[in-house]
């Protein structure tokens, strides 16, 4: 995008505005397809990263499945044209009614994190006189690879079973007639930029999968989760996909069964920017604050995970100044960090980069702030894919 296109978008749709580039989504999909090809890995997009219908439709057309974690997500994927059989339903707190609704729509694969969750699968399957396929979620116990909020494969995590708990789970699962234990699921964390933990988790999963198969279960799917990171901060490096490809090839050589991955962030994160306007420049003894019209309501990642997203001006031809960049929300944590930027004036536009994943999807209406509009540029065509919230919709909910 050039400066005049950016100005035009801001004029037409207002700010803040999420802008996604379909070309970058395709490019990143291509990188993962190439990485998983030697192990015939299937991709199920973790739609929690960005659930916009237009984005889901483009994945559907590319032959990508869906990883959903609530009935709301399953329903959204169906709305984008997905069939139940292309949706994998994960989550540690699925209700009976959510599972029931999903089964009625043809969803067949569910993970489980607890025995009562497996019970729900059995009851619902029995009620519909159908077989369901259950994926046991295991904790590979991989330590400190990412921010503690995102490290979900560790001992104390609410997700999955520890190795030592598994024999009992298997004894229990053996008695079930409708929910068939047919797969193993691991997802140990998110925003991971090193290759080693992915391979460590893959080795753990492969071995455990084979052990469960030896116990006589009809093991079919090895789901290795998501977690593939993107460079956000200036100092971040990219994941080494060549090493990952080689590693998976080696770890999964001779593996019999379906290999599945659930990437979210990597597919959409770098494809989105948050276009925002400077609403105030506050000079003072404590430094210069640059106040944007976007904040933690549009991107909670800095406040929640201490994340740093690069922020750039659309006009670099000015003197560079140190700013603390903040949003307009009434919280001190509504802060994007310190940045050197060209001298800013009220009304100037800046871009918050890598905002395609977990920006809009984690957005809130705190301070009665309407959620921004979102646009997608795909095959040279610009479309409005979500309207800005109207205030009445915040008061009453959509009708
Ligand atoms: N599979 C499972 C079971 C997951 O829990 C997640 C993410 C994914 C796949 C996709 O992970 P990804 O490829 O996107 O890393 N809000 C946080 C990220 C939370 C991720 C939650 N689970 C953030 O903004 O960094």
């Amino acid at each position: 995008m050039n400066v005049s296109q950016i100005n035009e978008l801001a004029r037409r749709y207002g700010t803040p505005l999420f802008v996604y580039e379909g070309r970058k989504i395709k490019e990143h999909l291509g990188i993962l397809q190439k990485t998983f090809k030697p192990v015939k890995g299937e991709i199920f997009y973790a739609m929690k990263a960005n659930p916009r219908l237009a984005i889901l439709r483009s994945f559907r057309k590319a032959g990508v499945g869906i990883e959903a974690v609530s009935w709301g997500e399953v329903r959204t994927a169906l709305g984008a044209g997905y069939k139940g059989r292309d949706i994998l339903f994960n989550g540690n707190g699925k209700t009976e009614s959510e599972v029931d609704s999903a089964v009625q729509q043809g969803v067949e694969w569910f993970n489980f994190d607890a025995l009562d969750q497996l019970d729900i699968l059995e009851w619902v399957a029995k009620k519909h006189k159908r077989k369901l396929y259950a994926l046991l979620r295991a904790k590979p116990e991989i330590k400190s690879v990412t921010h503690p909020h995102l490290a979900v494969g560790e001992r104390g995590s609410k997700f999955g079973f520890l190795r030592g708990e598994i024999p009992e789970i298997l004894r229990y699962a053996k008695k079930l007639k409708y929910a068939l234990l047919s797969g193993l699921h691991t997802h140990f964390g998110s925003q991971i930029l090193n290759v080693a933990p992915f391979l460590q988790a893959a080795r753990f999963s492969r071995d455990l999968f084979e052990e469960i198969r030896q116990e006589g279960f009809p093991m079919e799917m090895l789901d290795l989760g998501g977690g593939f990171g993107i460079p956000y901060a200036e100092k971040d490096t990219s994941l080494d996909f060549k090493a990952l490809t080689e590693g998976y090839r080696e770890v999964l050589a001779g593996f019999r069964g379906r290999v599945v991955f659930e990437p979210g962030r990597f597919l959409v994160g770098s494809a989105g920017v948050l276009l925002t306007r400077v609403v105030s420049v506050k000079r003072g003894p404590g430094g210069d604050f640059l106040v944007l019209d976007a904040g933690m309501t549009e991107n909670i990642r800095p406040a929640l995970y201490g994340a740093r997203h690069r922020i750039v001006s659309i006009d670099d031809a000015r003197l560079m100044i140190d700013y603390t960049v903040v949003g307009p929300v009434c919280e001190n944590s509504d802060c994007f960090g310190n940045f050197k930027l060209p001298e800013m004036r009220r009304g100037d536009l800046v871009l918050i980069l890598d905002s395609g994943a977990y920006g809009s999807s984690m957005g809130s209406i705190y301070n009665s702030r309407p959620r921004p509009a979102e646009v997608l540029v795909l095959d040279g065509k610009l479309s409005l894919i979500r309207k800005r919230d109207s205030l009445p919709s915040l008061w009453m909910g959509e009708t």
Side-chain angles (χ1 to χ4, degrees), residues 44 46 48-49 67 69 90-91 111 137 149-150 152 159 185-187 189-192 223 225-229 232 261-267 299-301 304-305 307 309 357-359 361-362:
F44 284 68
K48 59 177 87 64
E67 188 257 2
V69 291
N90 284 335
N111 85 345
R137 180 157 176 182
H149 290 358
L150 306 179
V152 292
F159 299 101
H185 180 210
T186 50
H187 167 81
S190 196
Q191 182 48 19
I192 292 155
D223 177 351
F228 310 98
Y232 280 107
F261 295 92
E262 306 169 334
R265 182 192 323 267
F266 186 80
L267 292 175
N299 182 353
I300 200 167
R301 304 195 66 262
L304 203 52
Y305 316 116
H309 283 245
Y358 304 112
S361 66
M362 294 183 84

Side-chain angles (χ1 to χ4, degrees), residues 23 37 47 62 67 128 136 166 179 240 308 328 342 364 371:
R23 183 181 53 79
K37 195 164 180 220
M47 63 177 282
E67 188 257 2
H128 292 282
L136 183 156
I166 290 174
D240 181 349
R308 180 175 172 91
S364 83
R371 282 165 298 182

Side-chain angles (χ1 to χ4, degrees), residues 128-280:
H128 292 282
K129 300 195 175 54
R130 292 238 196 97
K131 301 273 188 239
L132 291 185
Y133 305 101
L135 289 145
L136 183 156
R137 180 157 176 182
K139 280 192 244 213
E141 292 192 63
I142 292 165
K143 289 220 174 70
S144 313
V145 279
T146 182
H147 188 277
H149 290 358
L150 306 179
V152 292
E154 300 196 19
R155 224 184 146 72
S157 163
K158 69 174 180 177
F159 299 101
F161 297 101
L162 286 168
R163 196 75 174 73
E165 294 176 278
I166 290 174
E168 190 201 327
I169 314 292
L170 298 186
R171 277 195 292 281
Y172 193 87
K174 227 166 220 167
K175 294 188 226 136
L176 306 183
K177 298 207 165 54
Y178 296 88
L180 308 178
L181 174 51
S182 311
L184 180 74
H185 180 210
T186 50
H187 167 81
F188 63 95
S190 196
Q191 182 48 19
I192 292 155
L193 292 169
N194 298 327
V195 170
F198 286 105
L199 300 183
Q200 191 187 336
R203 251 178 243 115
F204 167 91
S205 306
R206 172 205 64 195
D207 293 350
L208 184 55
F209 182 98
E210 292 303 342
E211 279 173 42
I212 300 175
R213 179 179 265 164
Q214 301 283 309
E215 293 288 323
F217 289 93
M219 295 297 275
E220 187 185 327
M221 186 187 286
L222 179 64
D223 177 351
L224 295 174
F228 310 98
I230 55 172
Y232 280 107
E234 295 81 350
K235 63 171 180 33
D236 287 345
T237 50
S238 307
L239 238 173
D240 181 349
F241 282 100
K242 215 162 158 250
L244 198 59
T245 310
E246 280 319 306
Y248 279 138
R249 190 203 297 271
E250 190 194 316
V251 172
L252 297 171
F255 176 78
R256 288 175 301 117
R258 290 172 70 185
V259 178
V260 162
F261 295 92
E262 306 169 334
R265 182 192 323 267
F266 186 80
L267 292 175
V268 289
S270 318
V273 295
L274 180 55
L275 174 58
T276 162
R277 218 180 260 291
V278 175
V279 288
S280 173

Side-chain angles (χ1 to χ4, degrees), residues 6 10 14-17 273-279 291-295 311-312 314 326 328 336 347-352:
I6 294 172
T15 56
L17 176 75
V273 295
L274 180 55
L275 174 58
T276 162
R277 218 180 260 291
V278 175
V279 288
V291 189
L292 307 177
D293 65 1
I311 295 187
V312 296
I314 65 165
V326 299
F336 291 104
D348 283 348
L349 290 170
V350 296
L351 298 172
I352 303 179

